[in-house]
């Protein structure tokens, strides 16, 4: 029973926990209630960035595989299976599996789900949208990205929301320059989103990523100044992952402890990349090549 009589999402049935071959190295938090504290700052050497890029490539190619199977009739559990199989086929670990008790290898967030949707037996319909968020852990590093996919053809309003959310992410990324505070990223994203009257989600943010999944560094997607004044420096690695909505930025969470929806059940989209900041710009670390 994935959608109610208004077409809104409801919790479905969860698939069994997916297995990861024993030879694949687990991140340190697996089996713990909370992750061990992050060690180090949010900057990485060239050799470490190479490893984050390798993890990010696996995650990006996993989403390429997911993109191939998104269509009306597919379940979110099936999208998760495709992501899971690709990640483990590369000898990497799907970072969300066992992270703070989360039980799947991706997040699948449909329509009004802002983020952290749990893959289940929900059957996607023509006109739905689904964000799939995959993080891969390889050689001690995490690479984290997400994309929003259209299921068949979507309304023009939703199509524009998706396009502009991607553009908002890219504008935020381009604003990430050494010497600026990280809240500049959010200011740029919010200013762009407000042109179209979109809601800008505040309580879920970008983050430092690399040797830890979430390092403690917060990257806001709204104009938070003077809060989040951390100064960007070369070698810094973090995600930019704005969530924009057709209505409110306010949210509620399902009793599953994960699924976050808009309060007004308006449709919401998200894109995410992991980036490294350079003296003269940035590099995307979550690309397929
Ligand atoms: N990948 C998500 C992010 O972008 C985090 C998912 S954590 C989970 O930060 F536990 F919900 F999987
Ligand atoms: Co992230
Ligand atoms: Co993510």
């Amino acid at each position: 029973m994935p959608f109610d009589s208004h077409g809104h999402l409801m919790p479905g049935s969860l698939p069994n926990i997916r297995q990861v071959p024993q030879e694949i190295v687990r991140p340190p938090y697996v089996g713990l209630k909370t992750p061990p504290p992050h060690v180090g700052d949010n900057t990485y050497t060239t050799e470490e960035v190479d490893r984050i890029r390798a993890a990010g490539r696996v995650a990006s190619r996993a989403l390429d595989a997911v993109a191939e199977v998104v269509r009306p009739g597919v379940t979110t559990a099936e999208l998760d299976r495709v992501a899971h199989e690709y990640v483990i086929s590369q000898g990497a670990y799907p970072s969300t599996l066992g992270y703070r008790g989360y039980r799947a290898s991706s997040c699948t967030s449909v329509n009004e789900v802002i983020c952290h949707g749990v893959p289940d037996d929900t059957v996607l319909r023509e006109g739905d949208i689904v964000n799939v968020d995959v993080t891969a852990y390889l050689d001690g590093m995490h690479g984290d990205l997400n994309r929003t996919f259209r299921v068949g053809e979507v309304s023009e309003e939703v199509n524009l929301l998706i396009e502009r959310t991607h553009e908002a992410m890219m504008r935020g990324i381009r604003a990430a320059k050494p010497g600026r505070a990280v809240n500049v990223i959010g200011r740029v994203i919010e200013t762009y989103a407000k042109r179209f009257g979109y809601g800008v989600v505040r309580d879920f943010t970008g983050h430092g990523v690399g040797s830890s999944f979430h390092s403690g560094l917060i990257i806001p997607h709204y104009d938070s100044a003077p809060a989040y004044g951390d100064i960007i420096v070369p070698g810094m690695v973090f995600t930019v992952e704005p969530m924009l909505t057709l209505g409110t930025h306010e949210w509620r969470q399902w009793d599953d402890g994960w699924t976050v929806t808009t309060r007004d059940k308006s449709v919401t989209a998200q894109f995410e990349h992991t980036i490294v900041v350079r003296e003269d710009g940035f590099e995307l670390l979550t690309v397929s090549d």
Side-chain angles (χ1 to χ4, degrees):
M1 251 183 296
F3 295 97
D4 67 16
S5 57
H6 305 283
H8 293 131
L9 206 66
M10 296 167 57
S13 307
L14 305 181
N16 291 331
I17 302 255
R18 300 186 198 288
Q19 300 300 307
V20 178
Q22 263 322 313
E23 61 269 22
I24 291 179
V25 178
R26 274 73 175 147
Y29 51 75
V30 173
L32 306 179
K33 246 199 178 128
T34 51
H38 177 64
V39 177
D41 56 18
N42 291 281
T43 66
Y44 292 87
T45 65
T46 303
E47 177 275 327
E48 290 168 329
V49 169
D50 288 346
R51 286 192 281 141
I52 301 171
R53 187 187 302 103
R57 181 180 300 121
V58 171
S60 178
R61 289 179 177 175
L63 287 189
D64 297 343
V66 168
E68 294 292 318
V69 300
V70 173
R71 54 172 170 76
V74 76
T75 65
T76 52
E78 173 65 7
L79 304 184
D80 182 67
R81 191 190 66 77
V82 168
H84 177 90
E85 293 299 333
Y86 183 78
V87 170
I88 66 172
S89 79
Q90 300 306 299
Y93 185 90
S95 305
T96 58
L97 187 60
Y99 181 73
R100 296 182 183 271
Y102 191 81
R103 294 155 75 89
S105 297
S106 61
C107 299
T108 53
S109 300
V110 176
N111 298 347
E112 69 266 26
V113 178
I114 293 173
C115 61
H116 303 165
V118 181
D120 63 13
D121 63 352
T122 300
V123 179
L124 296 175
R125 311 161 300 182
E126 176 96 19
D128 287 335
I129 66 173
V130 59
N131 178 280
V132 183
D133 190 330
V134 175
T135 306
Y137 180 73
L138 184 66
D139 207 2
M141 295 294 178
H142 299 270
D144 181 9
L145 86 159
N146 70 55
R147 299 180 198 148
T148 298
F149 300 104
R150 298 160 179 84
V151 182
E153 207 178 315
V154 304
S155 71
E156 183 58 6
E157 186 183 37
V158 168
N159 188 48
L160 285 171
L161 174 71
I162 293 174
E163 277 180 13
R164 291 164 175 166
T165 303
H166 185 268
E167 174 66 16
M169 172 188 69
M170 290 311 303
R171 286 177 181 234
I173 288 171
R174 288 195 292 267
K177 296 201 171 150
R180 295 178 172 174
V182 299
N183 56 34
V184 170
I185 297 168
R187 187 172 320 134
V188 165
I189 290 170
E190 181 167 30
T191 301
Y192 178 71
K194 286 295 164 200
R195 279 200 212 169
F196 311 106
Y198 294 151
V200 180
V201 173
R202 307 164 72 96
D203 296 338
F204 299 88
T205 66
H207 52 94
V209 65
S211 53
S212 298
F213 191 176
H214 297 97
S215 72
L217 171 68
I218 297 295
I219 309 295
H221 303 121
Y222 64 99
D223 188 358
S224 65
Y228 305 117
D230 304 81
I231 301 300
I232 299 170
V233 297
M236 219 180 226
V237 175
F238 52 80
T239 73
V240 178
E241 49 180 303
M243 290 141 270
L244 304 185
T245 84
L246 290 179
T248 184
H249 68 273
E250 292 186 300
W251 55 276
R252 47 193 298 173
Q253 193 166 42
W254 285 1
D255 293 338
D256 65 6
W258 286 108
T259 309
V260 176
T261 75
T262 51
R263 266 197 97 83
D264 58 6
K265 301 199 176 183
S266 60
V267 172
T268 167
Q270 181 181 23
F271 284 87
E272 172 177 29
H273 270 305
T274 297
I275 71 165
V276 59
V277 177
R278 310 273 194 211
E279 317 265 357
D280 57 348
F282 65 89
E283 180 190 344
L284 302 180
L285 296 178
T286 37
V287 289
S288 298
D289 264 347

